[in-house]
Amino acid sequence: MDAPRLFGREAEERQIGALVAAARNGRGGALLILGDPGIGKSSLLGLTARAHGMRELAVTGYEAESTIPYAAIYRLLLPLRPSLSALSEIHRQALQVASGSAQGPPPDRFLVGMSVLALVAAAAQEAPLLCAVDDAHHLDAESMETLTFVARRLEAEPAALLFAGRDEPHLAERAAGVPVLRVPGLDPEAATNLLQSALPEPIDPAAAAQIATSTGGNPLALLDLASELDTRRLTESSLADEPMPVGHHLEAFYLRRVRHLTPDLQLWLLAAAADSTGNLDLIRSAAKELGLLDASGEGAELAGLVTLGRSVEFRHPLVRSSVYNGAPGPDRRRVHRALSLAAADLALVELEAWHASKATLGTDPGVADRLERVADLAGARGGFLSRASVLAQAAALTPVGDSRNARLVGAAEAAFAAGAVRVSKTLLDDVDPEAMSPGLRGRLISLRAVHALFIGDPALVHSGADMLEAAACFHGVDPSAEQAALIRAFELTLPAERLAEGVTLSELGRRLRDGAALQDGFPATVLTALGALIVLPYDEAVPLMRRAVDQLNALPPAELMSYAVVGVALTTALWDAVARRTLLDRIAAAARDAGALQVLDTTLWIMSLAELTGGTPRASGERIAQVRELRRSIGYDAEQVVNPAFLAWSGAPRPQVEAISAAGLSMGFGGVHSAGIAALAVRDLAEGHYRDGYHRLKPLIEAPFLQVTPMELADFVEAAVRAGHASAAEPHVQHLEALAAVNGSPWARAMAARSRAITTEGTDAEPLYRAAIDALERTDIDIERARSHLLYGEWLRRAKRRRDAREQLTVALELFERSSAPAFAGRARSELAITGLKAESAAAPQSFGLTTQELTIARMAASGTTNAEIGATLFISVNTVDYHLRKVFQKLSISSRRQLTERLNRQT
């Protein structure tokens, strides 16, 4: 028999029913139900009980567990433990460490998210799965983050995830990307009908309508009024001026009921309300500490305010809040003290400390120490948001001084590790900088320095110098921290580039080299190499940089992830495109395996930039698409992923590229600006605007910056010669030749030979063009290979060798089109037309009717990537990959990956 329907909730029921039905049929999804207390969220959530044929899991958020990492995840997924055997070892280990059932390195929060997704997908293969989460606003931060991560990734799993919670800003922010159902009050007709149905005798329709309006259509208020007052009194109340019990008034309504109970029953209810977890053993033990009779709970149940079973459940969260908020402060502290003692007896370490903090007035170093131990437990499980919250509580209970500062800095570091940068910054604002040890001051300065990078603060221009100041604080205290700070100083100088203030490059290089002598180890090797890059002649720096790159390649994946920026700087300085791509691929794979999505985000962004100087614009665009997909999966705004250099290559309007580049400049990101301007200059070359390209590049070349400027020299040489400034080009050709002679890189040799060919008159240029092409043939730097064929073809055309020119220009056009370089492809097409060969304009890349995600998956599958690897790359389950590939095969009318490869290759 179907359960009774809810009054006035037909639209909400249909939306929830559609979600559940889709999940039952293999199309997963999620929904966040938001509304005021008493509005009917839990009742709507209860509708899922009609989901016949689905396995149901349910969990409720408790305030007392809000700082226990993954507490709700543990309770929700406990029934799925038999499915753990279906997971990979890394996913199984992550869940066990996060739940506290195993020891191991703290898992990244997104690894836990992917592990839960894998567990849900595995369990749902046995029976469609329905997970219902009530009072989501009370969930611990890690559980909420994990569950919303899963919610955003449910696609081809027979699983649904429903949240219900109060419409509070922090909840909506945490659940960004999850569809929202906001539940309003009942309309007047439904509210009147609900009230009439709950009364034993009819009520005057006008009075019922007045009551319905006065309560805002709040179902709980209407039902409790009907149970509390008879028809006559309700009619009278509808004529009075007093507000109806809704919102705070409804809480006061419950409090009046509580106040009619005996003092012992009120105290027992307060103990139950203060606990919030409903742990009956804990509440009974606390009641005993308070001198209450064991039967007190039964009295509260008889009063209709709680239900006793395996746990204590209040009639409604508003009943609990009215009991707790209505009690005097001394009574609340007394109850929390009793609960803390009871939790200690039951070995509930986190609850013991939480209740002890609630029982404390002012500062208490002993309680603060207990909270810090709880924070350490949270950190060991990867619960950095919980660690930050608990350490902040501990700091509030700590007297002013170094210990309090240390806890605030520790909390800020934990918040930053969890991606809560603004929370981290707020915590640091409470630190007293006058009472700090040197090591703690170094941590404070370090954290403030990296904040600017993540929040787009123009203070980024000082971050490199600030990090050097932090390193000085660590000097003589912690050599490892000092070396780490010095490496970070280099990394934070790179995004600012020429805007960096507070330290010169030569001073930075000297500090890095001095730091290498502090202690042996890989950081010393890195510091030596970076210092050499900055201050030594190139021929002396190359062996030191190669040594560092070799040792980087030997690092295990977990350590390698910390060196993406350093590795790219060194491999780029060596013109070693193969080593750079290999290094970035390894770091990306390590980040995916570890679930370190913030590291992966940074790595993919670096890869998108690297592809524009040593790869193809198409590959750069694919990396940007992956960044967007990643950010969607973690609830960030994917539309903010904008790379002006890529936009310049892909044909975006020049004013748009210039505006975005200028915005980067205003935020301190000098590197974003220079990359955008340099890419516009390359587009100028492609379109024959040599003078414009020359003037864009000239300021960058005249103010060289480390490994960045050498990548721009060949472009500047081409622009200068074509714009009539050949004399300005010559020193830079010689510079390229010197670099190539030292590093022996095919890429560097090709750029040097091509640049020399551009400046060479007569037939002597031809062997130089051929040398450039031959050097690049053994690389996958397709865009530079195409440009070399183009320039050689143009030279041949001017030499009246049309047939030879067509051969070179045809190769160039094919490479440009395959690389998604439309401006250069247009130039190659025009040159071919001059030789008498008309090349049709390439059709816009076909999507074959596929969605963006389907096309991404199709291209990855066509390249030989397995379903598991695709899933790991796009943060979706293997089931979802398989689902999309089936759709791709159906749309393309093919049946194998071989056919898929052939079909896609025809496009490119």
Side-chain angles (χ1 to χ4, degrees):
M1 180 183 296
D2 285 344
R5 303 181 68 82
L6 301 177
F7 282 93
R9 296 302 187 201
E10 291 79 8
E12 291 86 352
E13 288 190 52
R14 282 194 297 271
Q15 188 170 346
I16 294 171
L19 175 72
V20 171
R24 192 188 296 116
N25 292 320
R27 292 294 292 139
L31 189 65
L32 173 62
I33 304 170
L34 296 177
D36 294 332
I39 209 70
K41 303 181 297 296
S42 297
S43 297
L44 285 168
L45 208 59
L47 290 175
T48 58
R50 304 178 196 169
H52 303 300
M54 296 189 77
R55 184 179 184 182
E56 298 169 34
L57 304 178
V59 71
T60 299
Y62 298 133
E63 185 181 5
E65 286 186 345
S66 62
T67 55
I68 303 176
Y70 303 111
I73 288 287
Y74 177 78
R75 289 189 287 113
L76 179 68
L77 301 181
L78 197 59
L80 301 186
R81 291 186 68 180
S83 298
L84 280 172
S85 59
L87 304 189
S88 67
E89 175 60 29
I90 190 170
H91 286 160
R92 189 163 54 249
Q93 174 77 0
L95 287 178
Q96 289 171 337
V97 173
S99 67
S101 59
Q103 299 292 316
D108 189 284
R109 64 196 193 281
F110 295 119
L111 177 59
V112 178
M114 288 187 281
S115 302
V116 171
L117 176 61
L119 181 61
V120 167
Q125 299 311 301
E126 300 174 8
L129 193 63
L130 178 62
C131 302
V133 181
D134 206 355
D135 286 344
H137 52 283
H138 282 322
L139 251 59
D140 63 274
E142 285 78 17
S143 289
M144 189 63 192
E145 190 171 43
T146 298
L147 290 173
T148 52
F149 176 90
V150 173
R152 288 186 288 264
R153 313 314 292 162
L154 288 175
E155 292 188 61
E157 288 73 35
L161 184 50
L162 284 163
F163 303 88
R166 296 184 186 177
D167 198 352
E168 298 176 354
H170 84 276
L171 179 58
E173 182 180 337
R174 287 180 179 176
V178 178
V180 173
L181 170 62
R182 282 189 164 82
V183 183
L186 296 174
D187 64 53
E189 181 181 357
T192 301
N193 290 338
L194 176 62
L195 180 63
Q196 291 274 22
S197 72
L199 289 169
E201 56 186 74
I203 185 174
D204 178 72
Q210 177 62 32
I211 294 168
T213 301
S214 299
T215 59
N218 186 291
L220 183 65
L222 292 165
L223 291 174
D224 277 349
L225 277 174
S227 67
E228 185 74 13
L229 304 177
D230 57 30
T231 302
R232 181 182 61 81
R233 292 166 64 197
L234 273 175
T235 303
E236 291 173 352
S237 68
S238 72
L239 303 175
D241 293 331
E242 295 180 4
M244 287 291 171
V246 62
H248 293 301
H249 298 298
L250 186 55
E251 193 171 293
F253 172 78
Y254 289 128
L255 183 58
R256 287 195 296 272
R257 292 179 61 180
V258 171
R259 291 279 166 80
H260 285 98
L261 302 177
T262 66
D264 281 0
L265 283 183
Q266 290 187 49
L267 191 59
W268 188 94
L269 279 169
L270 180 56
D275 167 60
S276 86
T277 66
N279 185 327
L280 190 54
D281 291 336
L282 178 62
I283 295 168
R284 279 176 171 166
S285 180
K288 186 177 179 181
E289 290 282 347
L290 294 167
L292 300 176
L293 296 176
D294 197 41
S296 298
E298 294 177 2
E301 185 174 37
L302 289 172
L305 297 172
V306 299
T307 301
L308 301 182
R310 292 184 178 179
S311 61
V312 178
E313 292 186 15
F314 278 86
R315 166 174 168 71
H316 189 272
L318 279 179
V319 177
R320 175 182 172 267
S321 62
S322 68
V323 170
Y324 187 81
N325 295 329
D331 287 352
R332 288 202 299 264
R333 289 189 291 276
R334 178 187 171 199
V335 162
H336 278 299
R337 196 171 296 112
L339 285 164
S340 179
L341 293 171
D345 290 341
L346 296 172
L348 301 174
V349 178
E350 290 95 344
L351 288 179
E352 175 199 356
W354 188 80
H355 284 297
S357 70
K358 295 290 185 181
T360 302
L361 276 178
T363 61
D364 188 324
V367 174
D369 288 344
R370 286 151 71 184
L371 283 172
E372 185 166 9
R373 287 194 290 272
V374 170
D376 291 341
L377 290 174
R381 292 165 59 181
F384 293 110
L385 280 173
S386 292
R387 174 174 170 77
S389 178
V390 177
L391 276 177
Q393 291 179 37
L397 297 178
T398 306
V400 173
D402 208 46
S403 293
R404 182 178 183 275
N405 282 335
R407 283 166 176 156
L408 283 170
V409 172
E413 289 170 337
F416 184 83
V421 182
R422 296 193 183 277
V423 173
S424 175
K425 190 175 184 299
T426 300
L427 288 164
L428 290 186
D429 290 341
D430 290 335
V431 172
D432 178 8
E434 300 303 319
M436 303 190 77
S437 62
L440 188 57
R441 185 182 297 278
R443 288 166 61 191
L444 173 68
I445 296 170
S446 298
L447 198 50
R448 282 182 170 159
V450 297
H451 280 162
L453 177 65
F454 285 88
I455 63 175
D457 189 333
L460 173 64
V461 299
H462 300 283
S463 292
D466 292 342
M467 197 59 77
L468 288 179
E469 183 183 350
C473 291
F474 294 129
H475 190 68
V477 177
D478 187 340
S480 295
E482 183 177 358
Q483 288 186 328
L486 289 169
I487 293 172
R488 200 73 169 119
F490 174 84
E491 294 175 342
L492 290 176
T493 300
L494 292 186
E497 276 192 13
R498 299 162 179 88
L499 297 180
E501 297 178 1
V503 62
T504 64
L505 281 179
S506 60
E507 182 184 355
L508 174 63
R510 180 184 59 76
R511 290 285 301 277
L512 298 181
R513 298 195 75 198
D514 290 346
L518 292 170
Q519 63 179 14
D520 293 334
F522 180 66
T525 302
V526 169
L527 289 167
T528 299
L530 296 177
L533 168 64
I534 296 172
V535 300
L536 290 185
Y538 189 70
D539 59 343
E540 295 179 33
V542 164
L544 299 174
M545 292 192 291
R546 280 198 178 129
R547 177 169 171 253
V549 170
D550 289 343
Q551 291 190 23
L552 260 177
N553 290 329
L555 287 179
E559 294 180 35
L560 183 63
M561 285 192 292
S562 302
Y563 292 101
V565 174
V566 166
V568 168
L570 293 176
T571 51
T572 300
L574 291 168
W575 292 74
D576 193 338
V578 173
R580 186 172 70 179
R581 182 173 284 113
T582 300
L583 178 71
L584 287 170
D585 285 345
R586 283 191 63 212
I587 293 172
R592 289 189 186 102
D593 289 344
L597 299 197
Q598 286 182 316
V599 174
L600 182 57
D601 181 285
T602 300
T603 304
L604 289 171
W605 181 257
I606 293 172
M607 292 169 90
S608 76
L609 292 171
E611 286 293 343
L612 295 176
T613 57
T616 67
R618 177 176 176 176
S620 176
E622 289 171 354
R623 297 293 178 267
I624 292 171
Q626 289 178 17
V627 173
R628 289 198 177 102
E629 188 64 27
L630 185 154
R631 293 191 182 177
R632 287 190 192 97
S633 74
I634 57 181
Y636 292 168
D637 185 357
E639 301 312 313
Q640 298 302 315
V641 182
V642 181
N643 181 339
F646 172 73
L647 291 177
W649 272 95
S650 59
R654 279 185 170 80
Q656 180 186 10
V657 179
E658 290 171 341
I660 295 171
S661 299
L665 195 69
S666 68
M667 297 165 62
F669 288 93
V672 170
H673 175 263
S674 63
I677 297 304
L680 276 178
V682 173
R683 184 158 141 197
D684 288 334
L685 296 181
E687 296 175 350
H689 306 306
Y690 300 114
R691 184 174 298 176
D692 291 341
Y694 173 76
H695 287 298
R696 287 190 205 275
L697 287 171
K698 191 170 184 287
L700 301 180
I701 300 301
E702 289 178 344
F705 184 81
L706 299 180
Q707 77 283 355
V708 176
T709 301
M711 297 291 107
E712 299 162 348
L713 293 180
D715 298 328
F716 180 73
V717 168
E718 183 178 347
V721 172
R722 297 287 189 256
H725 300 284
S727 60
E730 180 57 30
H732 302 296
V733 176
Q734 294 177 14
H735 187 185
L736 280 169
E737 290 171 336
L739 293 174
V742 172
N743 62 42
S745 157
W747 182 10
R749 286 190 284 109
M751 295 301 95
R754 191 175 83 196
S755 296
R756 177 56 70 190
I758 291 172
T759 62
T760 300
E761 299 287 341
T763 57
D764 290 344
E766 183 168 15
L768 293 168
Y769 281 121
R770 287 190 173 277
I773 292 170
D774 289 345
L776 290 170
E777 285 295 335
R778 294 185 290 279
T779 75
D780 53 4
I781 309 174
D782 284 357
I783 197 67
E784 294 299 351
R785 187 153 59 98
R787 290 179 66 183
S788 298
H789 280 288
L790 173 64
L791 288 168
Y792 183 31
E794 290 174 338
W795 183 88
L796 289 168
R797 179 187 61 76
R798 289 192 296 271
K800 311 299 185 183
R801 295 164 56 182
R802 291 193 171 193
R803 180 177 298 176
D804 293 338
R806 287 174 186 168
E807 180 182 340
Q808 297 298 321
L809 294 171
T810 299
V811 173
L813 178 59
E814 291 174 353
L815 286 170
F816 284 135
E817 289 182 340
R818 191 168 70 196
S819 301
S820 298
F824 276 110
R827 175 170 157 182
R829 200 174 290 110
S830 298
E831 286 289 329
L832 276 169
I834 295 173
T835 69
L837 180 64
K838 183 177 180 181
E840 295 296 328
S841 296
Q846 297 181 52
S847 67
F848 305 103
L850 305 179
T851 66
T852 300
Q853 188 175 45
E854 287 168 353
L855 188 58
T856 300
I857 291 172
R859 285 173 173 163
M860 295 180 72
S863 70
T865 310
T866 67
N867 283 13
E869 291 168 339
I870 295 171
T873 300
L874 300 181
F875 324 110
I876 55 180
S877 71
V878 174
N879 294 334
T880 298
V881 176
D882 186 59
Y883 168 79
H884 284 302
L885 276 178
R886 288 199 304 271
K887 290 180 68 177
V888 168
F889 282 17
Q890 183 179 14
K891 288 181 179 181
L892 300 184
S893 300
I894 58 176
S895 59
S896 70
R897 290 196 176 212
R898 179 183 60 78
Q899 292 174 314
L900 176 64
T901 303
E902 293 173 353
R903 186 70 181 275
L904 293 184
N905 281 346
R906 276 186 236 143
Q907 174 190 349
T908 56

